[in-house]
mmCIF file of all heavy atoms in Angstrom:
data_model
loop_
_atom_site.group_PDB
_atom_site.id
_atom_site.type_symbol
_atom_site.label_atom_id
_atom_site.label_comp_id
_atom_site.label_asym_id
_atom_site.label_seq_id
_atom_site.Cartn_x
_atom_site.Cartn_y
_atom_site.Cartn_z
ATOM 1 N N ARG M 149 -15.966 31.547 23.099
ATOM 2 C CA ARG M 149 -15.948 32.775 23.894
ATOM 3 C C ARG M 149 -14.527 33.250 24.180
ATOM 4 O O ARG M 149 -14.246 34.455 24.149
ATOM 5 C CB ARG M 149 -16.691 32.504 25.209
ATOM 6 C CG ARG M 149 -16.503 33.534 26.323
ATOM 7 C CD ARG M 149 -17.326 34.792 26.109
ATOM 8 N NE ARG M 149 -17.225 35.660 27.254
ATOM 9 C CZ ARG M 149 -16.219 36.528 27.482
ATOM 10 N NH1 ARG M 149 -15.237 36.632 26.607
ATOM 11 N NH2 ARG M 149 -16.214 37.287 28.555
ATOM 12 N N PHE M 150 -13.590 32.324 24.458
ATOM 13 C CA PHE M 150 -12.288 32.729 24.979
ATOM 14 C C PHE M 150 -11.101 32.425 24.068
ATOM 15 O O PHE M 150 -10.018 32.982 24.272
ATOM 16 C CB PHE M 150 -12.035 32.061 26.336
ATOM 17 C CG PHE M 150 -12.968 32.502 27.423
ATOM 18 C CD1 PHE M 150 -13.981 31.653 27.883
ATOM 19 C CD2 PHE M 150 -12.860 33.754 27.987
ATOM 20 C CE1 PHE M 150 -14.837 32.054 28.901
ATOM 21 C CE2 PHE M 150 -13.715 34.166 29.007
ATOM 22 C CZ PHE M 150 -14.710 33.326 29.456
ATOM 23 N N ALA M 151 -11.227 31.494 23.121
ATOM 24 C CA ALA M 151 -10.060 31.030 22.361
ATOM 25 C C ALA M 151 -9.390 32.161 21.579
ATOM 26 O O ALA M 151 -10.035 33.121 21.158
ATOM 27 C CB ALA M 151 -10.474 29.913 21.411
ATOM 28 N N GLU M 152 -8.079 31.997 21.428
ATOM 29 C CA GLU M 152 -7.297 32.877 20.560
ATOM 30 C C GLU M 152 -6.711 32.023 19.433
ATOM 31 O O GLU M 152 -6.796 30.793 19.465
ATOM 32 C CB GLU M 152 -6.169 33.540 21.356
ATOM 33 C CG GLU M 152 -6.646 34.454 22.473
ATOM 34 C CD GLU M 152 -7.266 35.750 21.965
ATOM 35 O OE1 GLU M 152 -7.116 36.028 20.751
ATOM 36 O OE2 GLU M 152 -7.891 36.462 22.769
ATOM 37 N N PHE M 153 -6.095 32.688 18.452
ATOM 38 C CA PHE M 153 -5.579 31.929 17.316
ATOM 39 C C PHE M 153 -4.484 30.949 17.715
ATOM 40 O O PHE M 153 -4.223 29.979 17.006
ATOM 41 C CB PHE M 153 -5.074 32.887 16.224
ATOM 42 C CG PHE M 153 -3.883 33.713 16.625
ATOM 43 C CD1 PHE M 153 -2.593 33.232 16.441
ATOM 44 C CD2 PHE M 153 -4.048 34.969 17.194
ATOM 45 C CE1 PHE M 153 -1.494 33.990 16.813
ATOM 46 C CE2 PHE M 153 -2.952 35.723 17.575
ATOM 47 C CZ PHE M 153 -1.664 35.240 17.389
ATOM 48 N N ASP M 154 -3.865 31.159 18.879
ATOM 49 C CA ASP M 154 -2.791 30.269 19.322
ATOM 50 C C ASP M 154 -3.089 29.588 20.646
ATOM 51 O O ASP M 154 -2.190 29.061 21.301
ATOM 52 C CB ASP M 154 -1.473 31.046 19.423
ATOM 53 C CG ASP M 154 -1.537 32.171 20.459
ATOM 54 O OD1 ASP M 154 -2.650 32.511 20.900
ATOM 55 O OD2 ASP M 154 -0.461 32.697 20.820
ATOM 56 N N TRP M 155 -4.349 29.612 21.068
ATOM 57 C CA TRP M 155 -4.699 28.995 22.364
ATOM 58 C C TRP M 155 -6.162 28.584 22.368
ATOM 59 O O TRP M 155 -7.040 29.379 22.033
ATOM 60 C CB TRP M 155 -4.443 29.988 23.508
ATOM 61 C CG TRP M 155 -4.986 29.549 24.848
ATOM 62 C CD1 TRP M 155 -4.553 28.515 25.615
ATOM 63 C CD2 TRP M 155 -6.078 30.144 25.570
ATOM 64 N NE1 TRP M 155 -5.290 28.415 26.766
ATOM 65 C CE2 TRP M 155 -6.233 29.418 26.774
ATOM 66 C CE3 TRP M 155 -6.931 31.228 25.317
ATOM 67 C CZ2 TRP M 155 -7.227 29.720 27.720
ATOM 68 C CZ3 TRP M 155 -7.905 31.535 26.246
ATOM 69 C CH2 TRP M 155 -8.045 30.790 27.447
ATOM 70 N N VAL M 156 -6.403 27.315 22.745
ATOM 71 C CA VAL M 156 -7.770 26.798 22.911
ATOM 72 C C VAL M 156 -7.957 26.451 24.383
ATOM 73 O O VAL M 156 -7.202 25.637 24.923
ATOM 74 C CB VAL M 156 -8.013 25.556 22.039
ATOM 75 C CG1 VAL M 156 -9.409 25.001 22.267
ATOM 76 C CG2 VAL M 156 -7.807 25.892 20.570
ATOM 77 N N PRO M 157 -8.933 27.062 25.078
ATOM 78 C CA PRO M 157 -9.080 26.833 26.527
ATOM 79 C C PRO M 157 -9.342 25.381 26.902
ATOM 80 O O PRO M 157 -8.707 24.842 27.803
ATOM 81 C CB PRO M 157 -10.265 27.718 26.913
ATOM 82 C CG PRO M 157 -10.405 28.715 25.816
ATOM 83 C CD PRO M 157 -9.889 28.067 24.576
ATOM 84 N N ILE M 158 -10.313 24.740 26.215
ATOM 85 C CA ILE M 158 -10.693 23.360 26.568
ATOM 86 C C ILE M 158 -10.283 22.401 25.464
ATOM 87 O O ILE M 158 -10.609 22.612 24.283
ATOM 88 C CB ILE M 158 -12.212 23.242 26.819
ATOM 89 C CG1 ILE M 158 -12.617 24.004 28.085
ATOM 90 C CG2 ILE M 158 -12.615 21.770 26.959
ATOM 91 C CD1 ILE M 158 -14.068 23.843 28.462
ATOM 92 N N ARG M 159 -9.596 21.352 25.858
ATOM 93 C CA ARG M 159 -9.322 20.236 24.959
ATOM 94 C C ARG M 159 -10.171 19.065 25.467
ATOM 95 O O ARG M 159 -9.850 18.451 26.488
ATOM 96 C CB ARG M 159 -7.847 19.859 24.983
ATOM 97 C CG ARG M 159 -6.912 21.025 24.704
ATOM 98 C CD ARG M 159 -5.460 20.576 24.764
ATOM 99 N NE ARG M 159 -4.531 21.674 24.634
ATOM 100 C CZ ARG M 159 -3.219 21.539 24.460
ATOM 101 N NH1 ARG M 159 -2.696 20.309 24.404
ATOM 102 N NH2 ARG M 159 -2.435 22.584 24.346
ATOM 103 N N TYR M 160 -11.246 18.797 24.765
ATOM 104 C CA TYR M 160 -12.208 17.779 25.191
ATOM 105 C C TYR M 160 -12.033 16.558 24.299
ATOM 106 O O TYR M 160 -12.318 16.608 23.102
ATOM 107 C CB TYR M 160 -13.621 18.346 25.101
ATOM 108 C CG TYR M 160 -14.725 17.334 25.296
ATOM 109 C CD1 TYR M 160 -14.695 16.414 26.342
ATOM 110 C CD2 TYR M 160 -15.816 17.300 24.425
ATOM 111 C CE1 TYR M 160 -15.707 15.499 26.519
ATOM 112 C CE2 TYR M 160 -16.845 16.388 24.587
ATOM 113 C CZ TYR M 160 -16.780 15.488 25.630
ATOM 114 O OH TYR M 160 -17.790 14.564 25.790
ATOM 115 N N LEU M 161 -11.557 15.446 24.880
ATOM 116 C CA LEU M 161 -11.244 14.240 24.124
ATOM 117 C C LEU M 161 -12.164 13.108 24.546
ATOM 118 O O LEU M 161 -12.103 12.643 25.690
ATOM 119 C CB LEU M 161 -9.787 13.837 24.340
ATOM 120 C CG LEU M 161 -8.726 14.910 24.007
ATOM 121 C CD1 LEU M 161 -7.330 14.344 24.220
ATOM 122 C CD2 LEU M 161 -8.891 15.414 22.588
ATOM 123 N N ASN M 162 -12.988 12.646 23.651
ATOM 124 C CA ASN M 162 -13.958 11.585 23.922
ATOM 125 C C ASN M 162 -13.361 10.246 23.489
ATOM 126 O O ASN M 162 -13.880 9.557 22.626
ATOM 127 C CB ASN M 162 -15.253 11.891 23.179
ATOM 128 C CG ASN M 162 -16.447 11.131 23.709
ATOM 129 O OD1 ASN M 162 -17.321 10.746 22.954
ATOM 130 N ND2 ASN M 162 -16.505 10.922 25.012
ATOM 131 N N LYS M 163 -12.218 9.886 24.111
ATOM 132 C CA LYS M 163 -11.492 8.676 23.726
ATOM 133 C C LYS M 163 -10.690 8.164 24.904
ATOM 134 O O LYS M 163 -10.521 8.865 25.910
ATOM 135 C CB LYS M 163 -10.563 8.970 22.538
ATOM 136 C CG LYS M 163 -9.537 10.038 22.841
ATOM 137 C CD LYS M 163 -8.752 10.467 21.593
ATOM 138 C CE LYS M 163 -7.839 9.390 21.102
ATOM 139 N NZ LYS M 163 -6.955 9.863 20.009
ATOM 140 N N SER M 164 -10.171 6.947 24.780
ATOM 141 C CA SER M 164 -9.412 6.308 25.847
ATOM 142 C C SER M 164 -7.911 6.422 25.590
ATOM 143 O O SER M 164 -7.471 6.562 24.444
ATOM 144 C CB SER M 164 -9.782 4.826 25.957
ATOM 145 O OG SER M 164 -11.146 4.654 26.250
ATOM 146 N N PHE M 165 -7.134 6.340 26.687
ATOM 147 C CA PHE M 165 -5.676 6.304 26.616
ATOM 148 C C PHE M 165 -5.174 5.192 27.524
ATOM 149 O O PHE M 165 -5.853 4.785 28.464
ATOM 150 C CB PHE M 165 -5.080 7.647 27.059
ATOM 151 C CG PHE M 165 -5.331 8.775 26.091
ATOM 152 C CD1 PHE M 165 -6.497 9.514 26.169
ATOM 153 C CD2 PHE M 165 -4.402 9.075 25.102
ATOM 154 C CE1 PHE M 165 -6.743 10.552 25.278
ATOM 155 C CE2 PHE M 165 -4.639 10.111 24.212
ATOM 156 C CZ PHE M 165 -5.803 10.851 24.298
ATOM 157 N N THR M 166 -3.957 4.722 27.259
ATOM 158 C CA THR M 166 -3.362 3.687 28.105
ATOM 159 C C THR M 166 -3.004 4.269 29.473
ATOM 160 O O THR M 166 -2.889 5.486 29.649
ATOM 161 C CB THR M 166 -2.084 3.129 27.463
ATOM 162 O OG1 THR M 166 -1.111 4.176 27.386
ATOM 163 C CG2 THR M 166 -2.377 2.578 26.068
ATOM 164 N N ARG M 167 -2.794 3.385 30.433
ATOM 165 C CA ARG M 167 -2.374 3.828 31.768
ATOM 166 C C ARG M 167 -1.054 4.589 31.687
ATOM 167 O O ARG M 167 -0.857 5.579 32.400
ATOM 168 C CB ARG M 167 -2.194 2.632 32.704
ATOM 169 C CG ARG M 167 -3.479 1.877 33.006
ATOM 170 C CD ARG M 167 -3.269 0.934 34.180
ATOM 171 N NE ARG M 167 -3.288 1.665 35.438
ATOM 172 C CZ ARG M 167 -2.557 1.367 36.498
ATOM 173 N NH1 ARG M 167 -1.701 0.368 36.436
ATOM 174 N NH2 ARG M 167 -2.655 2.054 37.607
ATOM 175 N N ARG M 168 -0.147 4.124 30.864
ATOM 176 C CA ARG M 168 1.151 4.777 30.726
ATOM 177 C C ARG M 168 0.979 6.206 30.219
ATOM 178 O O ARG M 168 1.597 7.141 30.752
ATOM 179 C CB ARG M 168 2.037 3.971 29.777
ATOM 180 C CG ARG M 168 3.456 4.518 29.641
ATOM 181 C CD ARG M 168 4.254 3.654 28.663
ATOM 182 N NE ARG M 168 5.625 4.107 28.518
ATOM 183 C CZ ARG M 168 6.615 3.771 29.313
ATOM 184 N NH1 ARG M 168 6.391 2.950 30.326
ATOM 185 N NH2 ARG M 168 7.843 4.216 29.102
ATOM 186 N N SER M 169 0.155 6.376 29.199
ATOM 187 C CA SER M 169 -0.075 7.720 28.665
ATOM 188 C C SER M 169 -0.702 8.622 29.716
ATOM 189 O O SER M 169 -0.285 9.774 29.899
ATOM 190 C CB SER M 169 -0.972 7.653 27.424
ATOM 191 O OG SER M 169 -0.325 6.976 26.368
ATOM 192 N N LEU M 170 -1.718 8.114 30.430
ATOM 193 C CA LEU M 170 -2.382 8.930 31.448
ATOM 194 C C LEU M 170 -1.429 9.293 32.573
ATOM 195 O O LEU M 170 -1.466 10.410 33.104
ATOM 196 C CB LEU M 170 -3.601 8.197 31.998
ATOM 197 C CG LEU M 170 -4.792 8.070 31.050
ATOM 198 C CD1 LEU M 170 -5.879 7.217 31.680
ATOM 199 C CD2 LEU M 170 -5.344 9.441 30.674
ATOM 200 N N ALA M 171 -0.544 8.364 32.940
ATOM 201 C CA ALA M 171 0.419 8.664 34.001
ATOM 202 C C ALA M 171 1.304 9.842 33.603
ATOM 203 O O ALA M 171 1.596 10.726 34.414
ATOM 204 C CB ALA M 171 1.269 7.429 34.297
ATOM 205 N N GLY M 172 1.723 9.865 32.342
ATOM 206 C CA GLY M 172 2.521 10.986 31.861
ATOM 207 C C GLY M 172 1.732 12.276 31.818
ATOM 208 O O GLY M 172 2.243 13.351 32.161
ATOM 209 N N PHE M 173 0.461 12.198 31.394
ATOM 210 C CA PHE M 173 -0.391 13.394 31.347
ATOM 211 C C PHE M 173 -0.597 13.962 32.753
ATOM 212 O O PHE M 173 -0.555 15.177 32.961
ATOM 213 C CB PHE M 173 -1.735 13.066 30.718
ATOM 214 C CG PHE M 173 -1.672 12.661 29.261
ATOM 215 C CD1 PHE M 173 -2.802 12.137 28.637
ATOM 216 C CD2 PHE M 173 -0.506 12.774 28.535
ATOM 217 C CE1 PHE M 173 -2.757 11.761 27.303
ATOM 218 C CE2 PHE M 173 -0.449 12.390 27.190
ATOM 219 C CZ PHE M 173 -1.580 11.878 26.583
ATOM 220 N N PHE M 174 -0.850 13.060 33.717
ATOM 221 C CA PHE M 174 -1.005 13.512 35.107
ATOM 222 C C PHE M 174 0.269 14.212 35.588
ATOM 223 O O PHE M 174 0.219 15.224 36.279
ATOM 224 C CB PHE M 174 -1.303 12.323 36.027
ATOM 225 C CG PHE M 174 -2.692 11.765 35.903
ATOM 226 C CD1 PHE M 174 -2.924 10.410 36.114
ATOM 227 C CD2 PHE M 174 -3.777 12.568 35.611
ATOM 228 C CE1 PHE M 174 -4.201 9.876 36.021
ATOM 229 C CE2 PHE M 174 -5.057 12.055 35.507
ATOM 230 C CZ PHE M 174 -5.270 10.704 35.717
ATOM 231 N N ARG M 175 1.407 13.653 35.213
ATOM 232 C CA ARG M 175 2.691 14.154 35.695
ATOM 233 C C ARG M 175 2.923 15.612 35.302
ATOM 234 O O ARG M 175 3.505 16.384 36.063
ATOM 235 C CB ARG M 175 3.801 13.273 35.131
ATOM 236 C CG ARG M 175 5.212 13.591 35.646
ATOM 237 C CD ARG M 175 5.458 12.902 36.953
ATOM 238 N NE ARG M 175 6.866 12.920 37.329
ATOM 239 C CZ ARG M 175 7.374 12.191 38.307
ATOM 240 N NH1 ARG M 175 6.597 11.375 38.997
ATOM 241 N NH2 ARG M 175 8.650 12.260 38.605
ATOM 242 N N VAL M 176 2.476 15.996 34.109
ATOM 243 C CA VAL M 176 2.751 17.357 33.628
ATOM 244 C C VAL M 176 1.614 18.329 33.942
ATOM 245 O O VAL M 176 1.703 19.500 33.579
ATOM 246 C CB VAL M 176 3.036 17.361 32.112
ATOM 247 C CG1 VAL M 176 4.217 16.474 31.792
ATOM 248 C CG2 VAL M 176 1.811 16.947 31.313
ATOM 249 N N SER M 177 0.575 17.861 34.625
ATOM 250 C CA SER M 177 -0.589 18.706 34.902
ATOM 251 C C SER M 177 -0.432 19.410 36.240
ATOM 252 O O SER M 177 -0.135 18.783 37.252
ATOM 253 C CB SER M 177 -1.874 17.875 34.908
ATOM 254 O OG SER M 177 -2.052 17.252 33.656
ATOM 255 N N LYS M 178 -0.672 20.691 36.242
ATOM 256 C CA LYS M 178 -0.524 21.472 37.468
ATOM 257 C C LYS M 178 -1.695 21.248 38.415
ATOM 258 O O LYS M 178 -1.552 21.387 39.635
ATOM 259 C CB LYS M 178 -0.405 22.951 37.143
ATOM 260 C CG LYS M 178 -0.106 23.822 38.348
ATOM 261 C CD LYS M 178 0.832 24.946 38.021
ATOM 262 C CE LYS M 178 1.301 25.666 39.279
ATOM 263 N NZ LYS M 178 2.036 26.901 38.944
ATOM 264 N N VAL M 179 -2.854 20.891 37.873
ATOM 265 C CA VAL M 179 -4.046 20.675 38.687
ATOM 266 C C VAL M 179 -4.761 19.423 38.204
ATOM 267 O O VAL M 179 -4.966 19.250 36.994
ATOM 268 C CB VAL M 179 -5.015 21.879 38.625
ATOM 269 C CG1 VAL M 179 -6.254 21.621 39.491
ATOM 270 C CG2 VAL M 179 -4.318 23.166 39.051
ATOM 271 N N GLY M 180 -5.147 18.549 39.134
ATOM 272 C CA GLY M 180 -6.039 17.438 38.842
ATOM 273 C C GLY M 180 -7.431 17.813 39.320
ATOM 274 O O GLY M 180 -7.618 18.117 40.504
ATOM 275 N N LEU M 181 -8.402 17.810 38.418
ATOM 276 C CA LEU M 181 -9.760 18.259 38.734
ATOM 277 C C LEU M 181 -10.684 17.049 38.750
ATOM 278 O O LEU M 181 -10.992 16.472 37.710
ATOM 279 C CB LEU M 181 -10.214 19.294 37.705
ATOM 280 C CG LEU M 181 -11.541 20.023 37.944
ATOM 281 C CD1 LEU M 181 -11.577 20.686 39.312
ATOM 282 C CD2 LEU M 181 -11.791 21.040 36.843
ATOM 283 N N VAL M 182 -11.108 16.644 39.951
ATOM 284 C CA VAL M 182 -11.914 15.433 40.144
ATOM 285 C C VAL M 182 -13.153 15.838 40.933
ATOM 286 O O VAL M 182 -13.118 15.938 42.157
ATOM 287 C CB VAL M 182 -11.106 14.354 40.893
ATOM 288 C CG1 VAL M 182 -11.932 13.084 41.043
ATOM 289 C CG2 VAL M 182 -9.793 14.058 40.179
ATOM 290 N N THR M 183 -14.254 16.089 40.226
ATOM 291 C CA THR M 183 -15.413 16.710 40.878
ATOM 292 C C THR M 183 -16.720 15.986 40.589
ATOM 293 O O THR M 183 -17.668 16.573 40.058
ATOM 294 C CB THR M 183 -15.532 18.190 40.441
ATOM 295 O OG1 THR M 183 -15.499 18.254 38.998
ATOM 296 C CG2 THR M 183 -14.404 19.022 41.006
ATOM 297 N N PRO M 184 -16.820 14.696 40.929
ATOM 298 C CA PRO M 184 -18.091 13.992 40.724
ATOM 299 C C PRO M 184 -19.183 14.546 41.631
ATOM 300 O O PRO M 184 -18.922 15.059 42.722
ATOM 301 C CB PRO M 184 -17.747 12.551 41.100
ATOM 302 C CG PRO M 184 -16.623 12.677 42.075
ATOM 303 C CD PRO M 184 -15.816 13.841 41.590
ATOM 304 N N LEU M 185 -20.411 14.405 41.167
ATOM 305 C CA LEU M 185 -21.564 14.773 41.982
ATOM 306 C C LEU M 185 -21.810 13.721 43.059
ATOM 307 O O LEU M 185 -22.377 14.020 44.116
ATOM 308 C CB LEU M 185 -22.801 14.921 41.103
ATOM 309 C CG LEU M 185 -22.683 15.937 39.966
ATOM 310 C CD1 LEU M 185 -23.984 15.984 39.167
ATOM 311 C CD2 LEU M 185 -22.309 17.313 40.489
ATOM 312 N N ARG M 186 -21.406 12.489 42.788
ATOM 313 C CA ARG M 186 -21.471 11.397 43.767
ATOM 314 C C ARG M 186 -20.624 10.268 43.203
ATOM 315 O O ARG M 186 -20.761 9.916 42.033
ATOM 316 C CB ARG M 186 -22.921 10.929 43.981
ATOM 317 C CG ARG M 186 -23.110 9.819 44.981
ATOM 318 C CD ARG M 186 -22.827 10.237 46.411
ATOM 319 N NE ARG M 186 -23.664 11.310 46.888
ATOM 320 C CZ ARG M 186 -23.695 11.745 48.147
ATOM 321 N NH1 ARG M 186 -22.913 11.165 49.050
ATOM 322 N NH2 ARG M 186 -24.471 12.744 48.500
ATOM 323 N N ASP M 187 -19.721 9.731 43.995
ATOM 324 C CA ASP M 187 -18.846 8.675 43.499
ATOM 325 C C ASP M 187 -18.501 7.720 44.631
ATOM 326 O O ASP M 187 -18.429 8.135 45.797
ATOM 327 C CB ASP M 187 -17.557 9.274 42.933
ATOM 328 C CG ASP M 187 -17.123 8.612 41.638
ATOM 329 O OD1 ASP M 187 -17.599 7.498 41.357
ATOM 330 O OD2 ASP M 187 -16.320 9.212 40.903
ATOM 331 N N GLY M 188 -18.263 6.461 44.273
ATOM 332 C CA GLY M 188 -17.918 5.481 45.287
ATOM 333 C C GLY M 188 -16.579 5.778 45.924
ATOM 334 O O GLY M 188 -16.472 6.020 47.117
ATOM 335 N N MET M 189 -15.504 5.771 45.127
ATOM 336 C CA MET M 189 -14.185 6.145 45.621
ATOM 337 C C MET M 189 -13.571 7.183 44.711
ATOM 338 O O MET M 189 -13.214 8.267 45.114
ATOM 339 C CB MET M 189 -13.274 4.913 45.688
ATOM 340 C CG MET M 189 -11.819 5.215 46.072
ATOM 341 S SD MET M 189 -11.603 6.190 47.585
ATOM 342 C CE MET M 189 -12.197 5.044 48.820
ATOM 343 N N ASN M 190 -13.472 6.874 43.447
ATOM 344 C CA ASN M 190 -12.782 7.635 42.415
ATOM 345 C C ASN M 190 -11.277 7.423 42.530
ATOM 346 O O ASN M 190 -10.545 8.205 43.148
ATOM 347 C CB ASN M 190 -13.120 9.119 42.435
ATOM 348 C CG ASN M 190 -12.751 9.771 41.099
ATOM 349 O OD1 ASN M 190 -11.587 9.798 40.737
ATOM 350 N ND2 ASN M 190 -13.742 10.242 40.382
ATOM 351 N N LEU M 191 -10.810 6.337 41.901
ATOM 352 C CA LEU M 191 -9.395 6.006 41.934
ATOM 353 C C LEU M 191 -8.555 6.979 41.126
ATOM 354 O O LEU M 191 -7.342 7.096 41.357
ATOM 355 C CB LEU M 191 -9.185 4.580 41.436
ATOM 356 C CG LEU M 191 -9.753 3.487 42.338
ATOM 357 C CD1 LEU M 191 -9.510 2.113 41.729
ATOM 358 C CD2 LEU M 191 -9.151 3.554 43.730
ATOM 359 N N VAL M 192 -9.163 7.699 40.180
ATOM 360 C CA VAL M 192 -8.410 8.689 39.405
ATOM 361 C C VAL M 192 -7.793 9.734 40.332
ATOM 362 O O VAL M 192 -6.666 10.189 40.113
ATOM 363 C CB VAL M 192 -9.306 9.349 38.342
ATOM 364 C CG1 VAL M 192 -8.631 10.575 37.726
ATOM 365 C CG2 VAL M 192 -9.645 8.348 37.246
ATOM 366 N N ALA M 193 -8.508 10.112 41.382
ATOM 367 C CA ALA M 193 -7.964 11.080 42.333
ATOM 368 C C ALA M 193 -6.675 10.558 42.951
ATOM 369 O O ALA M 193 -5.675 11.286 43.081
ATOM 370 C CB ALA M 193 -8.992 11.379 43.423
ATOM 371 N N LYS M 194 -6.667 9.286 43.328
ATOM 372 C CA LYS M 194 -5.473 8.698 43.930
ATOM 373 C C LYS M 194 -4.368 8.532 42.890
ATOM 374 O O LYS M 194 -3.176 8.729 43.189
ATOM 375 C CB LYS M 194 -5.825 7.363 44.582
ATOM 376 C CG LYS M 194 -6.811 7.503 45.735
ATOM 377 C CD LYS M 194 -7.022 6.192 46.478
ATOM 378 C CE LYS M 194 -7.891 6.408 47.724
ATOM 379 N NZ LYS M 194 -8.020 5.183 48.542
#
């Protein structure tokens, strides 16, 4: 619906990354979106 030839809205990755890689990804992200329907704690938010 929205993509352009030089931009894809959603990058959906069905794979794992190391803690180091995720820490870097979090660092450059303007928004962290953590929206479970029900969760015990959700350490990703922290």
Side-chain angles (χ1 to χ4, degrees):
R149 166 78 174 83
F150 295 107
E152 297 289 348
F153 65 88
D154 62 346
W155 170 68
V156 178
I158 292 185
R159 306 179 186 190
Y160 170 47
L161 304 182
N162 198 215
K163 60 188 291 187
S164 300
F165 290 87
T166 64
R167 295 194 78 214
R168 184 181 181 85
S169 295
L170 289 175
F173 295 170
F174 286 148
R175 185 84 167 192
V176 301
S177 300
K178 186 143 189 190
V179 180
L181 187 54
V182 182
T183 52
L185 303 180
R186 181 69 60 173
D187 222 342
M189 175 52 67
N190 198 297
L191 293 179
V192 168
K194 297 187 174 185

